[in-house]
């Protein structure tokens, strides 16, 4: 049943967020600590177990993959609700520190990614997107 | 007739949002394929179109939630809100190949640390260059450069004034939008073409919204790997902001 997949996804989401809140409470932080990441790992683990036992039915899978496919539309909706006006009107401090920090981070990303490619820590580049 | 359409649209905001976003993506894919000869991904154009529409919405209403502040498009706030964003991100984990993620777990952590400290230093430096000298203001603006959630949470914790917090939020929002727009542009420069690179990117670029939209516009298959790391970014920043980073700024600037 399709709903079982979606329900499993929802359960992982809720459990992950709850654990993230718990960690935040424990270390005294006012924001969820990695709840979504923990939910992702839970889902990976659950799917692994289901597949191993051979009870991950194709229509259950649909209940998960549909939402994964909805990801880009959701991101487009998210983009359309950003406070772009504030971003455009913000003074030089906001603009320069935002652009500066992204630029510095990009340099480091580029550097690290070149190093891990040389050291063969990174996998081969993904094949060209077929879609 | 117009009233009838208007009434129907207003009564089903989420469904309207589905139809509207579908239309935006349809047009974007068409433009990507035919106007740019497939050089620019349709999803990158769609994200840009979303931002442009957010600007239109903000300009018309003068409020903070972009196009969603126009009643007929209010469903976009639900569809593009944190709940749906995180729910669909978790769903993309079904595509993660565990061996790929395991290879770079430690790299993700290093990236996370760098992605917190580097923006902070840049933010503090810029604020200092513009004449700010007290540690509270410098820290609040610096943490805003990490993400737009870390900034205000840190600012509130260390007692920054509301205009400084507003500036800090603006810094984070600008950064998220820059990441959305420029990730596909600089993807080749960043060697953003494999799962491990996406994890490094997720830790260093920060802000879930920026990373998720930026990777979506670059290569959809990299999304779960980047998101896996990026979702720890805000929590990690909120942990370091009012503690280590604030104490560090205090030690340097008094």
């Amino acid at each position: 049943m399709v709903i079982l997949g979606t329900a499993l996804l929802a359960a992982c989401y809720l459990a992950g967020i709850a654990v993230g809140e718990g960690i935040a409470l424990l270390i005294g932080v006012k924001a969820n600590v990695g709840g979504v990441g923990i939910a992702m790992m839970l889902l990976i683990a659950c799917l692994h177990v289901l597949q191993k036992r051979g009870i991950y039915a194709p229509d259950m899978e649909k209940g998960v993959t549909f939402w994964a496919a909805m990801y880009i539309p959701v991101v487009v909706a998210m983009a359309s609700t950003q406070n772009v006006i504030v971003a455009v009107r913000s003074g030089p401090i906001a603009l320069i520190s935002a652009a500066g920090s992204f630029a510095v981070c990009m340099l480091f990303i580029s550097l690290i990614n070149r190093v891990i490619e040389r050291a063969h820590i990174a996998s081969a580049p993904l094949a060209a997107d077929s879609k | 007739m117009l009233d009838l359409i208007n009434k129907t649209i207003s009564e089903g905001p989420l469904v309207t949002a589905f139809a509207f976003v579908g239309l935006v993506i349809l047009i974007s894919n068409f433009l990507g394929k035919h106007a740019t000869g497939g050089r620019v991904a349709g999803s990158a154009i769609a994200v840009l179109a979303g931002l442009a529409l957010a600007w239109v919405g903000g300009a018309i209403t003068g409020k903070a939630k972009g196009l969603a502040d126009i009643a007929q498009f209010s469903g976009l706030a639900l569809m593009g809100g944190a709940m749906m964003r995180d729910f669909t991100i978790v769903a993309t984990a079904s595509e993660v190949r565990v061996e790929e993620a395991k290879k770079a777990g430690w790299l993700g952590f290093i990236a996370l640390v760098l992605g917190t400290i580097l923006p902070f230093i840049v933010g503090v430096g810029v604020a200092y260059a513009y004449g700010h000298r007290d540690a509270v203001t410098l820290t609040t603006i610096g943490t805003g450069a990490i993400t737009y959630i870390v900034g205000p949470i840190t600012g509130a914790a260390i007692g920054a004034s509301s205009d400084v917090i507003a500036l800090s939020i603006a810094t984070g929002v600008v950064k998220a939008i820059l990441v959305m727009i420029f990730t596909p542009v600089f993807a080749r420069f960043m060697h953003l073409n494999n799962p491990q690179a996406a994890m490094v990117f997720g830790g260093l670029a920060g802000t879930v919204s920026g990373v998720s939209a930026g990777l979506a516009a670059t290569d959809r298959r990299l999304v779960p790997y980047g998101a896996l790391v990026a979702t720890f970014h805000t929590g990690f920043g909120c942990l370091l902001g009012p503690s280590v980073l604030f104490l560090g700024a205090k030690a340097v600037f008094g």
Side-chain angles (χ1 to χ4, degrees):
Chain A
M1 279 183 290
V2 173
I3 185 61
L4 289 183
T6 304
L8 173 70
L9 175 59
C12 290
Y13 172 92
L14 293 172
I17 300 291
V19 172
E21 291 293 335
I23 295 175
L25 214 61
L26 267 176
I27 57 178
V29 170
K30 286 181 197 147
N32 195 293
V33 180
V36 175
I38 294 163
M40 292 174 86
M41 291 181 224
L42 272 175
L43 182 68
I44 294 170
C46 289
L47 294 184
H48 182 73
V49 170
L50 289 176
Q51 274 160 351
K52 221 174 171 185
R53 297 198 177 172
I55 48 176
Y56 189 39
D59 56 347
M60 184 177 178
E61 191 175 349
K62 273 186 209 154
V64 180
T65 50
F66 171 75
W67 291 105
M70 280 301 280
Y71 171 76
I72 285 181
V74 163
V75 162
V76 172
M78 176 186 82
S80 75
T81 58
Q82 295 295 307
N83 197 347
V84 179
I85 297 285
V86 154
V88 172
R89 287 208 192 126
S90 62
I93 294 186
L95 191 66
I96 297 173
S97 45
S101 54
F102 184 42
V104 170
C105 286
M106 273 205 300
L107 285 178
F108 273 80
I109 294 166
S110 179
L111 187 79
I112 293 175
N113 285 348
R114 278 160 216 255
V115 170
I116 62 173
E117 248 172 53
R118 291 252 173 83
H120 300 289
I121 297 167
S123 298
L126 296 176
D129 213 334
S130 52
K131 61 164 197 203
Chain B
M1 181 63 192
L2 219 62
D3 274 357
L4 186 80
I5 294 172
N6 210 356
K7 187 167 179 284
T8 313
I9 284 178
S10 307
E11 280 179 359
L14 182 60
V15 177
T16 305
F18 286 152
F20 180 70
V21 171
L23 185 67
V24 170
I25 290 179
L26 187 71
I27 296 171
S28 302
N29 283 346
F30 182 81
L31 285 177
K33 212 174 260 172
H34 298 285
T36 74
R39 267 188 299 274
V40 182
S43 45
I45 297 173
V47 169
L48 268 183
L51 289 172
L53 290 167
W55 182 82
V56 172
I60 291 173
T61 63
K63 292 184 192 158
K65 282 204 278 178
L67 201 59
D69 282 323
I70 298 174
Q72 286 83 353
F73 296 106
S74 61
L76 289 170
L78 180 56
M79 183 177 172
M83 180 179 74
M84 290 304 292
R85 183 197 66 195
D86 292 344
F87 189 63
T88 51
I89 286 179
V90 174
T92 63
S94 61
E95 300 154 15
V96 166
R97 293 184 33 213
V98 180
E99 322 83 72
E100 299 282 12
K102 268 191 191 157
K103 264 193 198 168
W106 58 276
L107 262 172
F109 181 73
I110 293 172
L112 208 55
V113 174
L114 285 173
T116 305
I117 293 172
L118 293 174
F120 178 75
I121 294 173
V122 173
V124 168
V126 172
Y128 187 86
Y130 273 88
H132 292 287
R133 289 296 180 269
D134 71 296
V136 170
T137 304
L138 290 170
T139 305
T140 306
I141 296 172
T143 48
I146 302 172
T147 82
Y148 58 82
I149 296 173
V150 177
I153 285 183
T154 303
I158 61 178
S161 63
S162 66
D163 56 323
V164 172
I165 291 182
L167 182 58
S168 165
I169 295 174
T171 306
V173 172
V174 173
K175 184 184 165 199
I177 291 173
L178 289 179
V179 174
M180 288 181 200
I181 297 174
F182 289 105
T183 299
V185 177
F186 291 105
R188 201 183 278 264
F189 169 71
M190 292 188 283
H191 285 221
L192 203 51
N193 56 17
N194 63 72
Q196 289 74 27
M199 289 174 78
V200 170
F201 172 78
L204 262 154
T207 93
V208 178
S209 44
V211 165
S212 52
L215 283 179
T218 306
D219 187 335
R220 166 70 178 74
R221 294 167 297 176
L222 296 176
V223 167
Y225 299 100
L228 197 58
V229 179
T231 58
F232 287 90
H233 209 273
T234 292
F236 192 66
C238 290
L239 176 65
L240 293 191
S243 56
V244 180
L245 297 179
F246 177 52
L247 293 177
K250 226 173 157 183
V252 176
F253 302 104

